[in-house]
Amino acid sequence: MSTAATPEVLWAQRSSTSDPAKNFIYLTISVPDVQPSNLKLDLKTQSLTFSGHSDSLKRDYHLALELFGEIDEKESKINHTAKNVELVLRKKELKEEFWPRLLKDAQKVHFLKTDFDKWVDEDEQDEAPEDDLGNMGGMGGMPGMGGMGDMSQMMGGAGGDFGGIDFSKLGGAGMGDMGEGDEEEGDEDDEEMPPLEGEEDGEEAPAKPTSKIEEVN
């Protein structure tokens, strides 16, 4: 039996002294094509254990992390996608300072990397766009959004909604934007019509070509 591989792990964090929803760890475990039935995730106050089998890579993965600080596992979220397993781990202690590192031990590990797409410096958090802070957490807390569920839902088998995205909602939003754009363009056309009508001498002629066409037909 082959030894399980250690997956790549990306991480970033946020901190807050007053808002628990903005005091968390972003964690992404890069494991593609792991079916919910082949995935085990054990999240405790200061540790995380993951194991899974990738169908496409035909490889077993295992990960065990001892975290630097304590987390609230009940308030933590998970999003299981076809490419990875994304987690938002709620820090238990409200504190302005960042964790100095993700892991309890200071040793450097090859599989752990900073997630620069999500990272924001400690003194620049207030300047970060709201959606930067809300993308992960909002997927679980906002009504109508699937994917980011409670840990209890994940462990109960609700982790099979790959992508964690309500595609119907995205489609609706896209169509809504398109509709608004059409209305705006229509309004602009209406606004432009009066000036054109002002040049009546040259603009009423199109009605005659229409009758000519009818005569030809």
Side-chain angles (χ1 to χ4, degrees):
M1 183 175 178
S2 60
T3 304
T6 301
E8 179 182 77
V9 177
L10 303 177
W11 83 292
Q13 63 177 314
R14 300 288 185 272
S15 64
S16 175
T17 57
S18 58
D19 189 349
K22 294 183 178 180
N23 189 56
F24 57 84
I25 297 291
Y26 276 123
L27 201 69
T28 301
I29 304 173
S30 301
V31 282
D33 303 317
V34 176
Q35 299 298 322
S37 59
N38 292 330
L39 185 155
K40 292 182 180 180
L41 184 64
D42 184 17
L43 189 61
K44 296 182 179 179
T45 304
Q46 204 167 349
S47 68
L48 180 152
T49 304
F50 164 86
S51 61
H53 177 80
S54 170
D55 290 341
S56 59
L57 299 179
K58 302 186 183 304
R59 182 181 301 171
D60 292 323
Y61 287 93
H62 180 76
L63 177 71
L65 302 177
E66 289 291 330
L67 303 174
F68 176 81
E70 294 186 349
I71 60 171
D72 186 344
E73 60 267 36
K74 292 182 180 180
E75 292 297 327
S76 296
K77 308 291 182 180
I78 182 169
N79 181 32
H80 181 194
T81 79
K83 293 182 178 180
N84 51 44
V85 175
E86 299 172 323
L87 296 148
V88 175
L89 308 178
R90 181 78 64 84
K91 297 178 187 176
K92 184 167 286 188
E93 181 182 5
L94 287 169
K95 194 175 182 180
E96 182 179 356
E97 293 79 14
F98 273 180
W99 285 6
R101 58 185 180 273
L102 176 65
L103 304 180
K104 183 177 181 180
D105 296 332
Q107 65 183 23
K108 187 174 181 179
V109 289
H110 70 280
F111 61 84
L112 183 61
K113 300 178 181 180
T114 300
D115 191 339
F116 290 106
D117 288 338
K118 294 184 175 69
W119 190 271
V120 174
D121 289 338
E122 186 176 322
D123 58 354
E124 296 179 352
Q125 294 185 90
D126 293 338
E127 301 173 9
E130 280 298 322
D131 59 348
D132 183 57
L133 296 175
N135 281 344
M136 292 290 290
M139 292 173 72
M142 292 178 63
M145 293 299 288
M148 288 297 291
D150 294 336
M151 294 301 298
S152 58
Q153 292 178 330
M154 171 60 191
M155 300 313 290
D161 48 348
F162 292 113
I165 299 173
D166 188 337
F167 288 101
S168 62
K169 200 171 189 68
L170 286 178
M175 292 302 291
D177 293 341
M178 289 174 67
E180 291 175 6
D182 292 341
E183 289 177 5
E184 289 177 1
E185 289 179 3
D187 293 342
E188 289 177 1
D189 291 342
D190 291 341
E191 291 174 1
E192 292 174 357
M193 286 304 292
L196 291 174
E197 290 175 359
E199 301 173 2
E200 294 178 337
D201 297 338
E203 292 298 330
E204 293 185 359
K208 293 181 179 180
T210 301
S211 61
K212 287 182 179 180
I213 293 173
E214 292 175 354
E215 291 174 4
V216 172
N217 292 335

